[in-house]
Amino acid sequence: MEKLRQLRVGFIGAGRMASAVAQAILLAGKAGASLLRHTETPSREGHRGRWHQKWLRTPSEGTGSFSPGPASSISHLPRQPRQFQSQNQVGNQTKRAEDNLPFPGNPGVGSTPHTQTSCSKMECWRPDGEVQAVNIFASAPSNRNLEKFQTFECKTTHCNLEILENCTIVFLATKPDVLPAVLREIASAVTKKHVVVSMAAGVTLQALEELLPAGTKVLRIMPNLPCVVQAGATVVARGTCADEEDVALLKRLLSHSGLCEEGPESYIDIHTGLSGSGVAYAYMFAEALAEGAVKMGMPTAMAQKIAAQTLLGAGKMILETGEHPAVLRSAVCTPGGTTIHALHELEKGSLRSTVMNAVEAATSRARTLGKR
Ligand SMILES: NC(=O)c1ccc[n+]([C@@H]2O[C@H](COP(=O)([O-])OP(=O)(O)OC[C@H]3O[C@@H](n4cnc5c(N)ncnc54)[C@H](OP(=O)(O)O)[C@@H]3O)[C@@H](O)[C@H]2O)c1
């Protein structure tokens, strides 16, 4: 546990996945987790030039929730100026018009309004695990996503090299097309003490190792979006120099993001077809279930809730009983009953074969994209 307390974890790239993983890490080592919602809109005050400063109410004060806001509005509270100064500028970090968009409703790069909604709900995880928020660092060219990290009292910068200087575990969380340039920028600062963890889709371990100094410990992970609600599924693959201990530490860090399984790198594309994209198949199934119920006369809101709970419960039963899904399905079927009649309809619609084709199509697409 002591190791987690002292561990310094950095993120190069601070978007959706980085913040989802960071929040899981903030809960690492904690037996339970608490979800806090707040309605206050954090202010952009506190950013002065290249200094990232933020004054936050501590959890023990007030209501117990974090209420970031303008320094002036909480002047009765102790102030904690940040001590993390950017030294260099990276890439395109000139302040852009979008940086002034209000938080948390500002659309991030590549974020659809839909996924942004999911992300706004995860601004609220209380960082009360063993990893210290002050030991989490994040870099990005603009402030738009760094705000989330500041909300948790993490340290932020526009300088990627500062992440290497301060952290031993470094997550690479930029879009894949940006990553080669980032790797070239940081390569000279990467040492044997670092464990570099890439979450960029399609960037292979071989490509990562080629762009980093020989002997670098590299891990590749593929999380999925439900990490934001601690119900994600992540596959980890290790590079040639990463060892058992590195994987164990990563798994411990990600223990609150959901499931984390190690496998050969070839499983990562399959995982994309099964789980990364699989989330969307499940949404489509939930939608269809709910619409069936609406057709039969149930109000939409109730039908959607029950459809979601049905998927959640079914998944939980598979995980907790360890039974094959076919065994559980068969247990629901009373001879001549409702379920077997419904399953016959699903078989007529080739549900199984269609879903298998979908997993194959997404996996093949992930492999193709990875080769580009
Ligand atoms: N979203 C998913 O469901 C998912 C699932 C599995 C894996 N992934 C992988 O996770 C990675 C991140 O995805 P995301 O959805 O989190 O993307 P995102 O929300 O667009 O975040 C990308 C981040 O990279 C930052 N960035 C851009 N150029 C940079 C540079 N030169 N140096 C440092 N940071 C830079 C951006 O900065 P600004 O904040 O200034 O824009 C932003 O914070 C991708 O490689 C993706 O393939 C995503």
Side-chain angles (χ1 to χ4, degrees):
M1 202 58 82
E2 200 48 38
K3 193 166 184 187
L4 288 191
R5 279 205 169 277
Q6 291 160 357
L7 196 67
R8 286 182 158 211
V9 181
F11 289 84
I12 295 181
R16 283 178 298 177
M17 279 324 288
S19 60
V21 170
Q23 286 164 64
I25 288 174
L26 283 170
L27 292 164
K30 181 81 182 169
S34 51
L35 181 64
L36 297 172
R37 297 271 160 84
H38 65 71
T39 51
E40 292 174 62
T41 303
S43 158
R44 288 190 171 271
E45 285 184 28
H47 298 287
R48 297 281 180 266
R50 290 159 64 197
W51 280 91
H52 292 186
Q53 295 183 320
K54 193 91 177 172
W55 290 271
L56 294 163
R57 187 179 295 172
T58 63
S60 56
E61 290 164 330
T63 59
S65 62
F66 290 112
S67 303
S72 57
S73 71
I74 54 168
S75 55
H76 57 291
L77 299 171
R79 290 180 172 187
Q80 302 167 345
R82 298 212 167 277
Q83 298 298 314
F84 191 54
Q85 188 175 22
S86 299
Q87 293 152 346
N88 302 305
Q89 299 274 314
V90 287
N92 57 337
Q93 71 170 271
T94 331
K95 194 167 169 58
R96 294 168 287 195
E98 309 91 282
D99 297 350
N100 293 323
L101 287 166
F103 174 84
N106 58 328
V109 173
S111 303
T112 63
H114 182 78
T115 50
Q116 197 63 34
T117 305
S118 325
C119 292
S120 68
K121 287 182 182 156
M122 65 181 204
E123 312 300 338
C124 326
W125 287 100
R126 185 208 293 260
D128 49 6
E130 291 303 317
V131 177
Q132 305 295 291
V134 289
N135 286 337
I136 293 194
F137 297 68
S139 68
S142 75
N143 284 335
R144 75 181 89 197
N145 288 302
L146 292 178
E147 287 270 11
K148 284 174 274 184
F149 285 82
Q150 291 160 350
T151 304
F152 302 122
E153 298 192 300
C154 301
K155 291 171 181 168
T156 60
T157 177
H158 295 313
C159 174
N160 293 337
L161 288 173
E162 283 189 10
I163 301 298
L164 275 302
E165 283 161 23
N166 286 282
C167 305
T168 46
I169 303 268
V170 176
F171 285 87
L172 303 175
T174 67
K175 290 287 189 202
D177 57 327
V178 179
L179 194 56
V182 169
L183 288 168
R184 279 190 284 274
E185 179 195 348
I186 63 168
S188 61
V190 175
T191 67
K192 292 206 167 17
K193 75 161 191 183
H194 292 110
V195 179
V196 178
V197 186
S198 169
M199 58 177 84
V203 182
T204 62
L205 285 165
Q206 190 187 347
L208 293 161
E209 287 180 342
E210 275 170 12
L211 287 164
L212 290 168
T216 305
K217 294 173 170 194
V218 180
L219 297 172
R220 187 177 163 202
I221 59 168
M222 187 50 60
N224 71 353
L225 204 53
C227 283
V228 300
V229 291
Q230 296 189 293
T234 300
V235 166
V236 53
R238 66 173 93 164
T240 47
C241 299
D243 57 28
E244 200 74 49
E245 210 184 314
D246 302 321
V247 174
L249 179 60
L250 179 77
K251 280 188 165 187
R252 199 162 158 210
L253 283 174
L254 298 185
S255 59
H256 277 272
S257 70
L259 186 75
C260 181
E261 295 280 316
E262 189 188 4
E265 190 176 21
S266 60
Y267 287 7
I268 285 196
D269 288 334
I270 303 173
H271 173 68
T272 301
L274 167 67
S275 183
S277 304
V279 173
Y281 324 151
Y283 291 145
M284 193 182 258
F285 191 72
E287 190 188 347
L289 270 183
E291 281 181 355
V294 171
K295 184 179 176 191
M296 302 316 292
M298 185 181 276
T300 305
M302 184 189 263
Q304 276 175 9
K305 248 181 166 173
I306 294 176
Q309 181 66 21
T310 303
L311 291 183
L312 187 70
K316 213 169 171 206
M317 286 280 288
I318 297 173
L319 289 173
E320 290 188 6
T321 63
E323 291 284 8
H324 191 287
V327 173
L328 294 169
R329 175 175 52 79
S330 162
V332 185
C333 291
T334 313
T338 57
T339 310
I340 194 67
H341 277 80
L343 288 176
H344 189 198
E345 291 301 318
L346 293 176
E347 292 292 3
K348 281 193 239 169
S350 303
L351 179 83
R352 247 193 290 218
S353 157
T354 306
V355 173
M356 285 172 71
N357 287 341
V359 174
E360 186 178 355
T363 304
S364 302
R365 182 69 181 149
R367 285 177 181 156
T368 307
L369 292 176
K371 285 186 188 126
R372 285 205 309 202

